[in-house]
Amino acid sequence: MHPAPSIILFTTLSGLGFGLLIWLGVDPTPPTGWVAFAFYAIAYALALSGLAASSFHLGRRDRALKAFRQWRTSWLSREAWLAALALGVSGLHALGLLFGIALLPLGWLSAALSLATVAATAMIYAQLRTVPRWYHWSTPILFIALSLSGGALLSGRVEIASGLLLLTGALQFWVWYDGDRRFARSGTTLASATGLGEQGVPRALFPPHTGSNYLLDEMVYVVARRHALKLRSIALVMMVLLPVLLLQLPMPHLFGLLALACHLAGVLTARWLFFAEAEHVVGLYYGKR
Amino acid sequence: MTALPERTERRLGLVIDLDTCVGCHACVVACKGWNDQGYGAPLSDQDPQGAAPQGTFLNRVHSYEVLPESGPAQHVHFPKSCLHCDDAPCVTVCPTGASYKRVEDGIVLVEEEACIGCGLCAWACPYGARELDLAAGVMKKCTLCVDRIYNEALPEKDRVPACVRTCPAEARHFGDLADPESDVSQLVAARGGIDLMPEQGTKPVNKYLPPRPRDGWGEDTDVLAPFLEPVAEEPQGFLGWLDRTLGKL
Ligand code: SF4
Ligand code: SF4
């Protein structure tokens, strides 16, 4: 799939923002006053800039609000609703905290909604049978794990963040390993795509058009896959290993910030790979993947 | 509403004969021509006279080679457009309800005024049957010429999809696949029509008729060969003398 910057930014930033909202929501002794304001301002800035980035992927941004209509069937629509609800309820909770009133159940609700938002974002991809690498239970789990680790990091929970980061790293490693085998496991081949398997071994002879088209631009992204191994290593080091090391150092404010910067760069790299490495079955018709 | 109907009254669709398609692309041109002036936003082109032209098409013809276990390779032309699936994944993913499947005839359509151009339906379609129009910013797909097949202003023989009407090889057939007595259903039964990517679970309405095995001449692949046997096994006369003398050297 084409790794569009709009959706990479959307999933990364909103994942971090909602991750922070989850930890703020479940905090039994939440920050109040100006400290609360600062934390919630960061969470909102991340979540909202992520959502704004996603609108750049639309052909008709002027109609974006129509995306709320089909929550009964569409994960994209559910994601829109959950995001709006999570931001709304968190806002109420934050308002109380500003004045020193902690309504803990409201916080729990905001955390649950934020968690559901991240899960719904992941389900947009995990529901697509056409992309075997994504069509798997591990897709929402990985998105949630990343969001929780990033949120813990942002909210200064050093021990929890370290543990979660290591778990997430292990999960990501396995997802790459297993993901490389999912296309073959899906059973979709040029033979099943053309129905010509009965006759022999089919091979794409020439494409239907000499130029490119929307399908090839959007769904058949083969560039830079050969650097995948290098990029995976970079992503793992930046996303997990460096932040965990930095978190063990003294001066938590300075090194914590550094850990956060590393983590963000790592997640962006991993998200780039999430899209760039995902092969859509339509590529088979073109003899590509 | 992007929930799929439980069942549709009819299942209108195409049956495409891979045995007779000659790969002329006439259906591609007819489709582009009709849909430039009818239903919804016209199919645009980008940089049509430039170095990297591209554009929106609802029907495209691929070409494949099939290598059997023995015998010569076979060349198959492969037209592909929306298969109007019964379990259309493109419909259920749509956040706006722009994509829908009609109860009365099973045609899958996009209500362009409601489409936000998110592209998710094109991601969900395994066949590459949907293309986002880069000029209009909305999703385009085969409408099964819904503006022809019910159009009383047209002569009756023209009330079929433009691709079917134009195909010089008659490789494309249009009809109701829910009716076992219809011509298309009979054709599918007689020729063993198949689904594309059945493992994707989309239950396509359109069917493909596989190419028939090619007939041959058995062992004797060249009919003219017997007439080309050399008349004289041994060269005679002057040539014979030359041949023998040179052979002795
Ligand atoms: S062929 Fe693709 S666009 Fe057409 S109904 Fe099936 S999934 Fe949808
Ligand atoms: S591109 Fe349009 S029709 Fe397709 S899923 Fe998005 S809103 Fe629906």
Side-chain angles (χ1 to χ4, degrees):
Chain A
M1 308 292 291
H2 173 66
S6 56
I7 35 183
I8 293 178
L9 280 176
F10 155 54
T11 54
T12 308
L13 297 181
S14 72
L16 264 180
F18 286 110
L20 180 54
L21 286 180
I22 295 172
W23 287 111
L24 292 173
V26 296
D27 196 338
T29 52
T32 50
W34 284 110
V35 187
F37 179 81
F39 271 119
Y40 275 93
I42 294 172
Y44 267 67
L46 286 168
L48 287 174
S49 55
L51 293 173
S54 77
S55 75
F56 282 94
H57 194 247
L58 301 183
R60 294 293 304 249
R61 287 174 65 201
D62 51 328
R63 299 177 182 154
L65 284 181
K66 288 194 199 292
F68 284 93
R69 285 186 1 190
Q70 300 296 328
W71 53 272
R72 282 189 205 81
T73 45
S74 165
W75 280 106
L76 182 48
S77 196
R78 286 174 197 155
E79 200 259 353
W81 273 107
L82 287 166
L85 286 173
L87 290 175
V89 176
S90 303
L92 278 181
H93 186 51
L95 205 63
L97 293 178
L98 280 188
F99 297 107
I101 314 159
L103 289 169
L104 291 186
L106 203 60
W108 301 334
L109 183 63
S110 74
L113 285 167
S114 302
L115 190 76
T117 307
V118 178
T121 305
M123 282 311 292
I124 297 174
Y125 308 106
Q127 69 178 333
L128 297 172
R129 205 170 183 162
T130 48
V131 184
R133 194 184 280 273
W134 295 347
Y135 186 63
H136 198 268
W137 57 262
S138 65
T139 303
I141 303 291
L142 184 60
F143 268 63
I144 290 174
L146 273 171
S147 167
L148 285 177
S149 337
L153 199 57
L154 262 175
S155 62
R157 288 170 165 73
V158 174
E159 270 128 59
I160 299 179
S162 307
L164 275 173
L165 280 172
L166 288 173
L167 276 178
T168 309
L171 179 63
Q172 174 70 82
F173 188 83
W174 177 78
V175 165
W176 280 327
Y177 171 84
D178 189 62
D180 289 345
R181 286 151 185 81
R182 287 182 196 151
F183 201 106
R185 275 210 302 265
S186 76
T188 300
T189 58
L190 183 57
S192 80
T194 58
L196 293 171
E198 286 284 303
Q199 273 74 23
V201 182
R203 178 171 76 94
L205 203 53
F206 39 86
H209 40 97
T210 48
S212 189
N213 72 346
Y214 171 75
L215 298 173
L216 290 173
D217 290 347
E218 184 81 1
M219 281 168 263
V220 189
Y221 187 82
V222 285
V223 198
R225 283 218 201 108
R226 63 198 135 108
H227 297 309
L229 194 64
K230 262 183 241 161
L231 286 168
R232 284 178 180 183
S233 315
I234 293 174
L236 217 50
V237 168
M238 298 292 277
M239 190 167 86
V240 174
L241 297 182
L242 270 182
V244 170
L245 282 180
L246 287 168
L247 282 181
Q248 313 315 317
L249 297 177
M251 291 204 284
H253 278 294
L254 175 63
F255 289 116
L257 207 63
L258 219 55
L260 191 67
C262 283
H263 178 71
L264 184 63
V267 178
L268 284 172
T269 316
R271 262 316 129 70
W272 187 89
L273 284 167
F274 177 77
F275 289 100
E277 290 194 293
E279 301 132 317
H280 194 286
V281 294
V282 77
L284 292 170
Y285 283 110
Y286 286 89
K288 298 180 183 167
R289 260 176 56 183
Chain B
M1 184 62 202
T2 52
L4 287 163
E6 280 288 309
R7 55 178 294 279
T8 58
E9 282 154 38
R10 294 193 294 160
R11 297 170 71 230
L12 293 186
L14 301 177
V15 172
I16 294 170
D17 192 342
L18 297 179
D19 196 58
T20 44
C21 172
V22 292
C24 67
H25 291 241
C27 54
V28 178
V29 178
C31 170
K32 179 94 169 178
W34 180 261
N35 287 292
D36 262 351
Q37 53 197 344
Y39 190 94
L43 303 176
S44 70
D45 291 311
Q46 280 69 44
D47 196 19
Q49 267 84 42
Q54 62 165 295
T56 316
F57 286 78
L58 310 182
N59 176 35
R60 303 204 184 243
V61 181
H62 294 252
S63 291
Y64 301 104
E65 176 201 70
V66 192
L67 199 61
E69 269 188 24
S70 62
Q74 206 170 327
H75 188 159
V76 180
H77 298 290
F78 194 95
K80 185 164 59 59
S81 52
C82 171
L83 291 90
H84 298 279
C85 308
D86 280 344
D87 272 349
C90 56
V91 170
T92 47
V93 298
C94 176
T96 65
S99 277
Y100 62 106
K101 184 168 174 76
R102 307 211 309 181
V103 182
E104 61 269 37
D105 51 18
I107 299 180
V108 175
L109 289 175
V110 176
E111 186 198 333
E112 289 178 11
E113 288 68 42
C115 173
I116 57 174
C118 66
L120 196 55
C121 54
W123 288 17
C125 171
Y127 310 105
R130 291 178 168 241
E131 300 189 15
L132 189 83
D133 190 89
L134 294 184
V138 295
M139 195 53 71
K140 300 295 296 185
K141 69 175 292 300
C142 160
T143 66
L144 214 57
C145 283
V146 72
D147 50 347
R148 287 175 70 99
I149 58 178
Y150 299 115
N151 190 341
E152 312 231 313
L154 295 177
E156 194 164 349
K157 66 173 179 192
D158 285 337
R159 286 181 221 156
V160 291
C163 56
V164 174
R165 182 73 184 87
T166 211
C167 179
E170 296 195 352
R172 309 176 69 98
H173 307 267
F174 165 70
D176 179 9
L177 285 135
D179 171 11
E181 300 305 316
S182 68
D183 289 350
V184 279
S185 297
Q186 301 280 322
L187 199 55
V188 170
R191 294 275 308 281
I194 52 151
D195 287 350
L196 304 185
M197 291 189 190
E199 71 283 353
Q200 286 275 334
T202 53
K203 303 210 186 81
V205 169
N206 286 12
K207 297 282 182 269
Y208 281 75
L209 307 179
R212 296 181 175 98
R214 289 285 175 262
D215 48 6
W217 300 96
E219 292 297 299
D220 222 0
T221 47
D222 191 346
V223 266
L224 292 176
F227 303 106
L228 294 174
E229 297 288 359
V231 182
E233 292 298 327
E234 290 290 316
Q236 310 282 317
F238 173 68
L239 270 183
W241 171 80
L242 197 63
D243 186 50
R244 262 171 276 129
T245 320
L246 286 173
K248 275 186 203 134
L249 284 180

